Amino acid sequence: MKLYDGGKILIGLMVFVGIATFPFYYNIGKVNAKPELKTDTPAIQAWEKQYGKKECVESKEYMRSEHMQLLNNWRDSVVRDMNRQYVSMTSGRKFNMSLQNGCLECHSNKKQFCDQCHNYMAVKPYCFDCHIQPMEKEENKS
Amino acid sequence: MSMDRRQFLKIAGISSILGFGASVASATHTIWEPGLKPPQVEPNPDGLIAKRWAMVVDMSKFKTDEDIKKVTTACHQTHNVPDFRNPDGTVDKKFEIKWIWEEPYERTFPGSENKFMSEHIKDMPFIVLCNHCDNPPCVRVCPTQATFKLPNGITMQDMHRCIGCRFCMAACPYGSRSFNWTDPRKAINPATENKAYPTRTKGVVEKCTFCTERLQVGKLPACVEAAPKGAMFFGDIEDPNSEVRKIVTSQLTIRRKPELGTGPAVYYVIGGSDHA
């Protein structure tokens, strides 16, 4: 069997495959890279000094999967039920149920922490249209 | 059970005619169940509690315009209320947001003026705010229960639920509610912004909350703190020993538009003697 213009077709095919798969290698090492989440803010370091370990409101695993629901519940508890303190199921410690004065006091590196993971997961919480974010230096921008 | 779109619409149509669908949207039953209950959540132990919060305002104790300005500014800065201005420095009425502000006598107590009353009172500015009514029309018309009564009498505004329909603004006889026609952050001075309190966003209605967030951590409302001595009182009117109760029992006080039956919790002392 003879392939007419075989050379041109092969080149064409190679170009096509190259273009079609371009997004995959273009993104290698970029979006695919799991964000590294830093929990070494001054507030967390102070906490570690006082209690001997790093702790969130609940376990890291729980927070990772449930923080959205937890925040919704905090919001309703505070605004509708007048409860302002949360008792941790993990440590029994009490936390101020506040987004900007609670979560973000420890996670004051919001851009590198919350935002980085949200960007990776392509979620965009609208909470910060109202809730004021910590001031961060421009170079921290993700 | 499988149902195609056409069947679904038929059933939905028939049931709404029969009135089944209506109960879902009815604002008279609670559409909210707490996700967290005690003992997992608790009030702040420093919080102030009352059966029924109320306020007494004595305008005679405000000696200058400065005294009034101090009070309104304290509130508006505490709550990040935007200050929209025209190029010439006057208030931009189109975008204005008010939690606490000044009204002349005849707009505060319309119908109670007469042509012989003292010029002094007629010209006196009155400080007005949400009255946290016993019977608030705004709560009755809110389709999402974004505005609702707390057990302590405060008419609360849940910004998270507000859909900006503005029924509450039409219902409120005191003009206590403002709508955000544009992004309020444009008119908040970053230097005086309260980093501990959220702003609002375009498309929601806001108003005074009797500083519920301050009461819950043991502080009096910001306006009361900033007022001249003896000008504003705040307390539990159901408590016979509270200052507000003593004043309201012992002196003549008036409330705004009592004939409407809303039952305001803000009382005005007109006389001007010393009390409590």
mmCIF file with all atom_site columns, all heavy atoms in Angstrom, chain B residues 11-31:
data_model
loop_
_atom_site.group_PDB
_atom_site.id
_atom_site.type_symbol
_atom_site.label_atom_id
_atom_site.label_alt_id
_atom_site.label_comp_id
_atom_site.label_asym_id
_atom_site.label_entity_id
_atom_site.label_seq_id
_atom_site.pdbx_PDB_ins_code
_atom_site.Cartn_x
_atom_site.Cartn_y
_atom_site.Cartn_z
_atom_site.occupancy
_atom_site.B_iso_or_equiv
_atom_site.pdbx_formal_charge
_atom_site.auth_seq_id
_atom_site.auth_comp_id
_atom_site.auth_asym_id
_atom_site.auth_atom_id
_atom_site.pdbx_PDB_model_num
ATOM 1   N N   . ILE B 1 11 ? -48.490 17.820 37.604 1.00 0.00 ? 11 ILE B N   1
ATOM 2   C CA  . ILE B 1 11 ? -48.773 17.613 39.030 1.00 0.00 ? 11 ILE B CA  1
ATOM 3   C C   . ILE B 1 11 ? -48.487 18.882 39.824 1.00 0.00 ? 11 ILE B C   1
ATOM 4   O O   . ILE B 1 11 ? -49.274 19.304 40.663 1.00 0.00 ? 11 ILE B O   1
ATOM 5   C CB  . ILE B 1 11 ? -47.957 16.421 39.578 1.00 0.00 ? 11 ILE B CB  1
ATOM 6   C CG1 . ILE B 1 11 ? -48.470 15.129 38.923 1.00 0.00 ? 11 ILE B CG1 1
ATOM 7   C CG2 . ILE B 1 11 ? -48.083 16.334 41.098 1.00 0.00 ? 11 ILE B CG2 1
ATOM 8   C CD1 . ILE B 1 11 ? -47.624 13.922 39.223 1.00 0.00 ? 11 ILE B CD1 1
ATOM 9   N N   . ALA B 1 12 ? -47.358 19.537 39.481 1.00 0.00 ? 12 ALA B N   1
ATOM 10  C CA  . ALA B 1 12 ? -47.009 20.765 40.206 1.00 0.00 ? 12 ALA B CA  1
ATOM 11  C C   . ALA B 1 12 ? -48.080 21.827 39.984 1.00 0.00 ? 12 ALA B C   1
ATOM 12  O O   . ALA B 1 12 ? -48.495 22.516 40.911 1.00 0.00 ? 12 ALA B O   1
ATOM 13  C CB  . ALA B 1 12 ? -45.653 21.277 39.739 1.00 0.00 ? 12 ALA B CB  1
ATOM 14  N N   . GLY B 1 13 ? -48.562 21.915 38.749 1.00 0.00 ? 13 GLY B N   1
ATOM 15  C CA  . GLY B 1 13 ? -49.576 22.911 38.426 1.00 0.00 ? 13 GLY B CA  1
ATOM 16  C C   . GLY B 1 13 ? -50.863 22.652 39.181 1.00 0.00 ? 13 GLY B C   1
ATOM 17  O O   . GLY B 1 13 ? -51.419 23.542 39.836 1.00 0.00 ? 13 GLY B O   1
ATOM 18  N N   . ILE B 1 14 ? -51.303 21.390 39.149 1.00 0.00 ? 14 ILE B N   1
ATOM 19  C CA  . ILE B 1 14 ? -52.549 21.058 39.835 1.00 0.00 ? 14 ILE B CA  1
ATOM 20  C C   . ILE B 1 14 ? -52.409 21.262 41.337 1.00 0.00 ? 14 ILE B C   1
ATOM 21  O O   . ILE B 1 14 ? -53.261 21.860 41.977 1.00 0.00 ? 14 ILE B O   1
ATOM 22  C CB  . ILE B 1 14 ? -52.956 19.591 39.521 1.00 0.00 ? 14 ILE B CB  1
ATOM 23  C CG1 . ILE B 1 14 ? -53.394 19.514 38.055 1.00 0.00 ? 14 ILE B CG1 1
ATOM 24  C CG2 . ILE B 1 14 ? -54.088 19.135 40.440 1.00 0.00 ? 14 ILE B CG2 1
ATOM 25  C CD1 . ILE B 1 14 ? -53.525 18.100 37.546 1.00 0.00 ? 14 ILE B CD1 1
ATOM 26  N N   . SER B 1 15 ? -51.264 20.833 41.899 1.00 0.00 ? 15 SER B N   1
ATOM 27  C CA  . SER B 1 15 ? -51.170 20.977 43.356 1.00 0.00 ? 15 SER B CA  1
ATOM 28  C C   . SER B 1 15 ? -51.067 22.432 43.779 1.00 0.00 ? 15 SER B C   1
ATOM 29  O O   . SER B 1 15 ? -51.541 22.792 44.849 1.00 0.00 ? 15 SER B O   1
ATOM 30  C CB  . SER B 1 15 ? -50.043 20.145 43.971 1.00 0.00 ? 15 SER B CB  1
ATOM 31  O OG  . SER B 1 15 ? -48.979 20.023 43.104 1.00 0.00 ? 15 SER B OG  1
ATOM 32  N N   . SER B 1 16 ? -50.456 23.279 42.923 1.00 0.00 ? 16 SER B N   1
ATOM 33  C CA  . SER B 1 16 ? -50.407 24.673 43.366 1.00 0.00 ? 16 SER B CA  1
ATOM 34  C C   . SER B 1 16 ? -51.782 25.313 43.280 1.00 0.00 ? 16 SER B C   1
ATOM 35  O O   . SER B 1 16 ? -52.141 26.152 44.081 1.00 0.00 ? 16 SER B O   1
ATOM 36  C CB  . SER B 1 16 ? -49.369 25.467 42.588 1.00 0.00 ? 16 SER B CB  1
ATOM 37  O OG  . SER B 1 16 ? -49.777 25.612 41.263 1.00 0.00 ? 16 SER B OG  1
ATOM 38  N N   . ILE B 1 17 ? -52.607 24.859 42.307 1.00 0.00 ? 17 ILE B N   1
ATOM 39  C CA  . ILE B 1 17 ? -53.981 25.353 42.258 1.00 0.00 ? 17 ILE B CA  1
ATOM 40  C C   . ILE B 1 17 ? -54.711 24.939 43.531 1.00 0.00 ? 17 ILE B C   1
ATOM 41  O O   . ILE B 1 17 ? -55.422 25.710 44.162 1.00 0.00 ? 17 ILE B O   1
ATOM 42  C CB  . ILE B 1 17 ? -54.724 24.807 41.016 1.00 0.00 ? 17 ILE B CB  1
ATOM 43  C CG1 . ILE B 1 17 ? -54.156 25.467 39.750 1.00 0.00 ? 17 ILE B CG1 1
ATOM 44  C CG2 . ILE B 1 17 ? -56.227 25.074 41.116 1.00 0.00 ? 17 ILE B CG2 1
ATOM 45  C CD1 . ILE B 1 17 ? -54.618 24.839 38.479 1.00 0.00 ? 17 ILE B CD1 1
ATOM 46  N N   . LEU B 1 18 ? -54.470 23.698 43.952 1.00 0.00 ? 18 LEU B N   1
ATOM 47  C CA  . LEU B 1 18 ? -55.122 23.213 45.163 1.00 0.00 ? 18 LEU B CA  1
ATOM 48  C C   . LEU B 1 18 ? -54.519 23.815 46.424 1.00 0.00 ? 18 LEU B C   1
ATOM 49  O O   . LEU B 1 18 ? -55.033 23.642 47.517 1.00 0.00 ? 18 LEU B O   1
ATOM 50  C CB  . LEU B 1 18 ? -55.034 21.683 45.236 1.00 0.00 ? 18 LEU B CB  1
ATOM 51  C CG  . LEU B 1 18 ? -55.782 20.956 44.108 1.00 0.00 ? 18 LEU B CG  1
ATOM 52  C CD1 . LEU B 1 18 ? -55.609 19.453 44.236 1.00 0.00 ? 18 LEU B CD1 1
ATOM 53  C CD2 . LEU B 1 18 ? -57.269 21.315 44.125 1.00 0.00 ? 18 LEU B CD2 1
ATOM 54  N N   . GLY B 1 19 ? -53.381 24.506 46.261 1.00 0.00 ? 19 GLY B N   1
ATOM 55  C CA  . GLY B 1 19 ? -52.819 25.209 47.412 1.00 0.00 ? 19 GLY B CA  1
ATOM 56  C C   . GLY B 1 19 ? -51.780 24.428 48.188 1.00 0.00 ? 19 GLY B C   1
ATOM 57  O O   . GLY B 1 19 ? -51.317 24.870 49.236 1.00 0.00 ? 19 GLY B O   1
ATOM 58  N N   . PHE B 1 20 ? -51.380 23.243 47.665 1.00 0.00 ? 20 PHE B N   1
ATOM 59  C CA  . PHE B 1 20 ? -50.362 22.493 48.413 1.00 0.00 ? 20 PHE B CA  1
ATOM 60  C C   . PHE B 1 20 ? -49.028 23.205 48.394 1.00 0.00 ? 20 PHE B C   1
ATOM 61  O O   . PHE B 1 20 ? -48.334 23.279 49.381 1.00 0.00 ? 20 PHE B O   1
ATOM 62  C CB  . PHE B 1 20 ? -50.173 21.081 47.828 1.00 0.00 ? 20 PHE B CB  1
ATOM 63  C CG  . PHE B 1 20 ? -51.384 20.218 48.015 1.00 0.00 ? 20 PHE B CG  1
ATOM 64  C CD1 . PHE B 1 20 ? -51.807 19.365 47.002 1.00 0.00 ? 20 PHE B CD1 1
ATOM 65  C CD2 . PHE B 1 20 ? -52.093 20.257 49.199 1.00 0.00 ? 20 PHE B CD2 1
ATOM 66  C CE1 . PHE B 1 20 ? -52.929 18.568 47.167 1.00 0.00 ? 20 PHE B CE1 1
ATOM 67  C CE2 . PHE B 1 20 ? -53.214 19.457 49.375 1.00 0.00 ? 20 PHE B CE2 1
ATOM 68  C CZ  . PHE B 1 20 ? -53.632 18.609 48.345 1.00 0.00 ? 20 PHE B CZ  1
ATOM 69  N N   . GLY B 1 21 ? -48.672 23.743 47.220 1.00 0.00 ? 21 GLY B N   1
ATOM 70  C CA  . GLY B 1 21 ? -47.359 24.365 47.084 1.00 0.00 ? 21 GLY B CA  1
ATOM 71  C C   . GLY B 1 21 ? -47.189 25.576 47.985 1.00 0.00 ? 21 GLY B C   1
ATOM 72  O O   . GLY B 1 21 ? -46.090 25.883 48.422 1.00 0.00 ? 21 GLY B O   1
ATOM 73  N N   . ALA B 1 22 ? -48.305 26.222 48.294 1.00 0.00 ? 22 ALA B N   1
ATOM 74  C CA  . ALA B 1 22 ? -48.225 27.495 49.003 1.00 0.00 ? 22 ALA B CA  1
ATOM 75  C C   . ALA B 1 22 ? -47.552 27.379 50.357 1.00 0.00 ? 22 ALA B C   1
ATOM 76  O O   . ALA B 1 22 ? -46.818 28.265 50.767 1.00 0.00 ? 22 ALA B O   1
ATOM 77  C CB  . ALA B 1 22 ? -49.620 28.082 49.163 1.00 0.00 ? 22 ALA B CB  1
ATOM 78  N N   . SER B 1 23 ? -47.783 26.240 51.039 1.00 0.00 ? 23 SER B N   1
ATOM 79  C CA  . SER B 1 23 ? -47.248 26.132 52.394 1.00 0.00 ? 23 SER B CA  1
ATOM 80  C C   . SER B 1 23 ? -45.724 26.150 52.389 1.00 0.00 ? 23 SER B C   1
ATOM 81  O O   . SER B 1 23 ? -45.101 26.563 53.356 1.00 0.00 ? 23 SER B O   1
ATOM 82  C CB  . SER B 1 23 ? -47.763 24.868 53.073 1.00 0.00 ? 23 SER B CB  1
ATOM 83  O OG  . SER B 1 23 ? -47.227 23.750 52.420 1.00 0.00 ? 23 SER B OG  1
ATOM 84  N N   . VAL B 1 24 ? -45.110 25.716 51.313 1.00 0.00 ? 24 VAL B N   1
ATOM 85  C CA  . VAL B 1 24 ? -43.656 25.677 51.254 1.00 0.00 ? 24 VAL B CA  1
ATOM 86  C C   . VAL B 1 24 ? -43.070 27.076 51.409 1.00 0.00 ? 24 VAL B C   1
ATOM 87  O O   . VAL B 1 24 ? -42.089 27.283 52.105 1.00 0.00 ? 24 VAL B O   1
ATOM 88  C CB  . VAL B 1 24 ? -43.182 25.059 49.914 1.00 0.00 ? 24 VAL B CB  1
ATOM 89  C CG1 . VAL B 1 24 ? -41.686 25.100 49.812 1.00 0.00 ? 24 VAL B CG1 1
ATOM 90  C CG2 . VAL B 1 24 ? -43.699 23.636 49.789 1.00 0.00 ? 24 VAL B CG2 1
ATOM 91  N N   . ALA B 1 25 ? -43.705 28.051 50.770 1.00 0.00 ? 25 ALA B N   1
ATOM 92  C CA  . ALA B 1 25 ? -43.142 29.394 50.787 1.00 0.00 ? 25 ALA B CA  1
ATOM 93  C C   . ALA B 1 25 ? -43.691 30.254 51.915 1.00 0.00 ? 25 ALA B C   1
ATOM 94  O O   . ALA B 1 25 ? -43.259 31.366 52.109 1.00 0.00 ? 25 ALA B O   1
ATOM 95  C CB  . ALA B 1 25 ? -43.429 30.074 49.446 1.00 0.00 ? 25 ALA B CB  1
ATOM 96  N N   . SER B 1 26 ? -44.634 29.697 52.680 1.00 0.00 ? 26 SER B N   1
ATOM 97  C CA  . SER B 1 26 ? -45.256 30.509 53.717 1.00 0.00 ? 26 SER B CA  1
ATOM 98  C C   . SER B 1 26 ? -44.237 30.962 54.743 1.00 0.00 ? 26 SER B C   1
ATOM 99  O O   . SER B 1 26 ? -43.406 30.203 55.206 1.00 0.00 ? 26 SER B O   1
ATOM 100 C CB  . SER B 1 26 ? -46.350 29.685 54.397 1.00 0.00 ? 26 SER B CB  1
ATOM 101 O OG  . SER B 1 26 ? -46.504 30.121 55.722 1.00 0.00 ? 26 SER B OG  1
ATOM 102 N N   . ALA B 1 27 ? -44.305 32.239 55.085 1.00 0.00 ? 27 ALA B N   1
ATOM 103 C CA  . ALA B 1 27 ? -43.308 32.781 56.013 1.00 0.00 ? 27 ALA B CA  1
ATOM 104 C C   . ALA B 1 27 ? -43.731 32.585 57.466 1.00 0.00 ? 27 ALA B C   1
ATOM 105 O O   . ALA B 1 27 ? -43.041 32.994 58.377 1.00 0.00 ? 27 ALA B O   1
ATOM 106 C CB  . ALA B 1 27 ? -43.095 34.257 55.739 1.00 0.00 ? 27 ALA B CB  1
ATOM 107 N N   . THR B 1 28 ? -44.857 31.952 57.680 1.00 0.00 ? 28 THR B N   1
ATOM 108 C CA  . THR B 1 28 ? -45.342 31.856 59.051 1.00 0.00 ? 28 THR B CA  1
ATOM 109 C C   . THR B 1 28 ? -44.763 30.661 59.791 1.00 0.00 ? 28 THR B C   1
ATOM 110 O O   . THR B 1 28 ? -44.808 30.597 61.004 1.00 0.00 ? 28 THR B O   1
ATOM 111 C CB  . THR B 1 28 ? -46.877 31.762 59.096 1.00 0.00 ? 28 THR B CB  1
ATOM 112 O OG1 . THR B 1 28 ? -47.264 30.716 58.211 1.00 0.00 ? 28 THR B OG1 1
ATOM 113 C CG2 . THR B 1 28 ? -47.521 33.065 58.678 1.00 0.00 ? 28 THR B CG2 1
ATOM 114 N N   . HIS B 1 29 ? -44.210 29.691 59.083 1.00 0.00 ? 29 HIS B N   1
ATOM 115 C CA  . HIS B 1 29 ? -43.590 28.603 59.836 1.00 0.00 ? 29 HIS B CA  1
ATOM 116 C C   . HIS B 1 29 ? -42.078 28.688 59.695 1.00 0.00 ? 29 HIS B C   1
ATOM 117 O O   . HIS B 1 29 ? -41.561 29.289 58.762 1.00 0.00 ? 29 HIS B O   1
ATOM 118 C CB  . HIS B 1 29 ? -44.133 27.232 59.397 1.00 0.00 ? 29 HIS B CB  1
ATOM 119 C CG  . HIS B 1 29 ? -43.603 26.751 58.086 1.00 0.00 ? 29 HIS B CG  1
ATOM 120 N ND1 . HIS B 1 29 ? -43.212 25.477 57.863 1.00 0.00 ? 29 HIS B ND1 1
ATOM 121 C CD2 . HIS B 1 29 ? -43.370 27.416 56.934 1.00 0.00 ? 29 HIS B CD2 1
ATOM 122 C CE1 . HIS B 1 29 ? -42.774 25.352 56.623 1.00 0.00 ? 29 HIS B CE1 1
ATOM 123 N NE2 . HIS B 1 29 ? -42.861 26.515 56.040 1.00 0.00 ? 29 HIS B NE2 1
ATOM 124 N N   . THR B 1 30 ? -41.390 28.111 60.649 1.00 0.00 ? 30 THR B N   1
ATOM 125 C CA  . THR B 1 30 ? -39.942 28.265 60.681 1.00 0.00 ? 30 THR B CA  1
ATOM 126 C C   . THR B 1 30 ? -39.302 27.438 59.587 1.00 0.00 ? 30 THR B C   1
ATOM 127 O O   . THR B 1 30 ? -39.514 26.236 59.509 1.00 0.00 ? 30 THR B O   1
ATOM 128 C CB  . THR B 1 30 ? -39.415 27.831 62.055 1.00 0.00 ? 30 THR B CB  1
ATOM 129 O OG1 . THR B 1 30 ? -40.049 28.637 63.012 1.00 0.00 ? 30 THR B OG1 1
ATOM 130 C CG2 . THR B 1 30 ? -37.922 27.996 62.153 1.00 0.00 ? 30 THR B CG2 1
ATOM 131 N N   . ILE B 1 31 ? -38.510 28.119 58.756 1.00 0.00 ? 31 ILE B N   1
ATOM 132 C CA  . ILE B 1 31 ? -37.842 27.381 57.698 1.00 0.00 ? 31 ILE B CA  1
ATOM 133 C C   . ILE B 1 31 ? -36.391 27.174 58.060 1.00 0.00 ? 31 ILE B C   1
ATOM 134 O O   . ILE B 1 31 ? -35.560 26.875 57.242 1.00 0.00 ? 31 ILE B O   1
ATOM 135 C CB  . ILE B 1 31 ? -37.968 28.100 56.335 1.00 0.00 ? 31 ILE B CB  1
ATOM 136 C CG1 . ILE B 1 31 ? -37.562 29.554 56.466 1.00 0.00 ? 31 ILE B CG1 1
ATOM 137 C CG2 . ILE B 1 31 ? -39.370 27.983 55.797 1.00 0.00 ? 31 ILE B CG2 1
ATOM 138 C CD1 . ILE B 1 31 ? -37.569 30.323 55.163 1.00 0.00 ? 31 ILE B CD1 1
#
